[in-house]
């Protein structure tokens, strides 16, 4: 875990100005903080598909593969992405829920997620994202939070190691257009 934390400290700032990225979360769960296992995750909100593909083919991703092996990468279709004022990010949370593959009303799901994420931002979240995992037919929700929170209702909480947000202004502008 110390190697992961050191790597996030060293490499995290390299993402602070990365073109094509809305934001990237470097986060961990640590046994020393009471979790069952040490777990590291990174979550990306890409503004441009080309930037994501470039990352997967360059030395940055090559360093990940040589250091830790080729990771499983989950990709979700964005249902709703919202950001709030920039502040100190201390944690992120993720929750997954199954979607009825035969009866899901995706338009209703989108409307519900739009409202849910707007509420999360009004309650103080820095970012709220809903994604559709069409491989598993799951709704994946995550939030960037100003404080660490207790896990509840299937939610998994992570401590923030680094929060890079080079495309924050672009995401905020999208939110402003939606509100107008």
């Amino acid at each position: 875990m110390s190697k992961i934390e050191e790597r996030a400290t060293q490499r995290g700032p390299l993402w602070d100005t990365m073109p094509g990225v809305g934001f990237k979360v470097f986060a961990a769960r640590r046994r020393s903080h009471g979790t069952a296992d040490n777990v590291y995750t990174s979550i990306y909100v890409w503004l441009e598909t080309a930037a994501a593909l470039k990352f997967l083919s360059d030395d940055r991703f090559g360093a990940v593969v040589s250091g830790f092996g080729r990771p499983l990468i989950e990709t979700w279709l964005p249902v709703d992405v919202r950001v709030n004022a920039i502040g100190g990010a201390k944690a992120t949370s993720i929750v997954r829920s199954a979607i009825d593959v035969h009866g899901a009303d995706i338009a209703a799901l989108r409307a519900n997620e739009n409202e849910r994420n707007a509420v999360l931002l009004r309650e103080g979240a820095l970012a709220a994202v809903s994604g559709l995992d069409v491989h598993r037919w799951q709704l994946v929700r995550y939030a960037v939070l100003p404080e660490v929170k207790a896990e509840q209702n299937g939610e998994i909480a992570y401590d923030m190691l680094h929060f890079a947000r080079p495309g924050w202004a672009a995401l905020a502008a999208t939110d402003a257009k939606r509100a107008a």
Side-chain angles (χ1 to χ4, degrees), residues 21-83:
V21 178
F23 65 83
K24 179 180 178 181
V25 168
F26 297 76
R29 296 167 49 89
R30 301 177 189 92
R31 280 193 294 261
S32 63
H33 293 177
T35 63
D37 292 307
N38 286 327
V39 178
Y40 168 76
T41 190
S42 36
I43 300 168
Y44 306 76
V45 170
W46 293 96
L47 299 173
E48 302 167 8
T49 303
L53 290 169
K54 183 177 181 207
F55 166 63
L56 292 174
S57 63
D58 72 14
D59 293 340
R60 293 169 296 168
F61 188 67
V64 171
V65 173
S66 67
F68 302 99
R70 186 170 304 278
L72 171 67
I73 298 174
E74 296 183 44
T75 304
W76 312 313
L77 298 175
V79 173
D80 188 60
V81 178
R82 294 178 186 256
V83 299

Side-chain angles (χ1 to χ4, degrees), residues 6 11 17 20 62 68-69 82 110 116 124 127-128 130 135 149 159 163 166 169 172:
E6 179 182 321
R11 294 185 180 257
T17 57
F68 302 99
R82 294 178 186 256
R110 290 184 74 192
R116 177 194 167 274
S130 301
H135 177 71
K149 63 183 270 186
D159 296 331
F163 185 43

Side-chain angles (χ1 to χ4, degrees), residues 5 7-18 21-28 40-45 81-93 121 124-129 142-147 158-169 171:
E5 290 170 358
R7 192 175 184 98
T9 299
Q10 291 174 349
R11 294 185 180 257
L14 300 175
W15 286 88
D16 291 344
T17 57
M18 192 62 60
V21 178
F23 65 83
K24 179 180 178 181
V25 168
F26 297 76
Y40 168 76
T41 190
S42 36
I43 300 168
Y44 306 76
V45 170
V81 178
R82 294 178 186 256
V83 299
N84 215 345
I86 295 177
K90 302 279 188 212
T92 189
S93 66
L121 265 56
L126 302 176
V129 178
Y142 61 97
V144 176
L145 306 166
E147 299 296 329
Y158 293 83
D159 296 331
M160 191 70 66
L161 300 177
H162 185 79
F163 185 43
R165 44 191 174 251
W168 200 261
L171 291 170

